[in-house]
Structure formats: C-alpha cells, structure tokens
Amino acid sequence: QVQLVESGGGLVQAGGSLRVSCVASENIFSFNAMGWYRQAPGKQRELVASKSRGGYTNYVDSVKGRFTISRDNAKNTVVLQMNNLKPEDTAVYYCNANSGGVNLWGQGTQVTVSS
C-alpha cells in the first residue's frame, strides 16, 4: 500500500509562510486526486486544497489567494505553499490520495500560526 509522509510543518507568526510537502512511496499518477486536509482541535477535518491528475485545482474559500497546491507525479510529491498565514490556519495538515475506492492518509504535520 502506498505510504504518504508529510513534512514541513512548524510554528510561524501571522503573515508568514510555510511549505508542507508530501512524498509518496509509490507513483501517484494513478490517483485521481491528491490533496491536503486539515483538522483543528474540536473541529472536523476539512479539505484545504486538491489537485486532480488532469491539473484541476480546488481550494476552500478561506485559503484562496493565499495557498497554492502543486503536484509532481514524476517525483511523487504534493506540496502546499501557504502564504499570509492566519491564526485560524492552525491545524494538523494531512496529505490525502484518492482514487475510486482508495483513500489514503499521511500521519499529519502540525502547523501553528501565532498572532
């Protein structure tokens, strides 16, 4: 089974930037969608951004214009560049790979934005 490993989380002040990366143990080309979700304490996990195999991107409204998702099938990586971070972006960020009945998750990486 494909393993997803995230890295790059950390602590940043509001207005700062972070880049979280996800490396897959196998080729990700076959996955229809690669994305990032996040879960803040006491809240449900939500989709932050996704990118389809065909290049279509989708963002939750709260991050549009600030976050950018990129997908490199040759390197089996998915990266979320986060700019102008806000305290409400604080959460554990999870990498996700989805295709048909297969839905895989990484272990998560903590992103904390201080005010």
Side-chain angles (χ1 to χ4, degrees), residues 48-110:
V48 177
S50 66
K51 189 162 189 175
S52 72
R53 186 168 54 197
Y56 175 79
T57 57
N58 182 43
Y59 296 93
V60 67
D61 285 346
S62 62
V63 308
K64 286 180 180 177
R66 301 188 296 122
F67 290 12
T68 303
I69 187 171
S70 59
R71 172 177 177 168
D72 188 333
N73 292 329
K75 296 182 178 179
N76 301 330
T77 60
V78 181
V79 174
L80 185 68
Q81 177 66 44
M82 303 181 289
N83 298 328
N84 190 22
L85 282 159
K86 303 177 180 180
E88 52 264 41
D89 295 318
T90 295
V92 178
Y93 283 70
Y94 296 91
C95 180
N96 174 265
N98 181 276
S99 184
V102 177
N103 195 31
L104 303 176
W105 297 94
Q107 82 286 355
T109 185
Q110 177 70 46

